[in-house]
Amino acid sequence: MNKEEVIKVANKHNGYLYSKIMKDYNIPSIYITRLLKEGKLQKIEKGIYVTDIGIEDPFFVMYIKHKNIIFSGETALFLNGLSNKQFVNYEVTIP
């Protein structure tokens, strides 16, 4: 696998590249380091990167970090288009 293929894998996943994808595709971390230096990847959080085509989405990033969360309350209303209220904290339920 080369750096261009890594970018293709990320773009296949809506511009995101994170630990699980890197493990599934056996992507060496040196490619991530080089792509970061070249400006082709942007680090969002530890183990989560986005390409130029990806849109940094805090809801998706939170989901990547915590697979078991369920957005609830005002956050769920906002995500379903039932509220346009600005909120400061996310409301989630953890089963």
Side-chain angles (χ1 to χ4, degrees):
M1 179 168 285
N2 59 35
K3 292 186 290 186
E4 289 76 26
E5 290 173 346
V6 172
I7 294 295
K8 286 180 184 178
V9 168
N11 290 340
K12 182 178 168 182
H13 292 92
N14 298 319
Y16 278 88
L17 194 61
Y18 46 93
S19 300
K20 182 181 181 325
I21 295 172
M22 291 185 279
K23 186 177 179 181
D24 290 348
Y25 285 86
N26 296 318
I27 298 172
S29 61
I30 189 67
Y31 287 159
I32 304 304
T33 304
R34 290 176 183 165
L35 289 168
L36 285 169
K37 286 182 182 178
E38 293 173 10
K40 294 182 180 178
L41 279 181
Q42 178 185 353
K43 184 176 184 175
I44 296 176
E45 292 203 18
K46 182 181 178 185
I48 304 173
Y49 307 92
V50 67
T51 64
D52 293 339
I53 71 154
I55 299 172
E56 188 174 338
D57 182 356
F59 296 102
F60 185 63
V61 171
M62 185 179 285
Y63 172 73
I64 291 171
K65 289 172 53 179
H66 312 283
K67 292 284 186 190
N68 292 335
I69 66 169
I70 300 167
F71 292 105
S72 56
E74 290 289 328
T75 307
L77 291 173
F78 175 78
L79 289 171
N80 286 295
L82 300 173
S83 172
N84 59 0
K85 179 181 173 186
Q86 294 291 332
F87 51 90
V88 178
N89 296 319
Y90 299 108
E91 292 182 45
V92 299
T93 302
I94 302 172

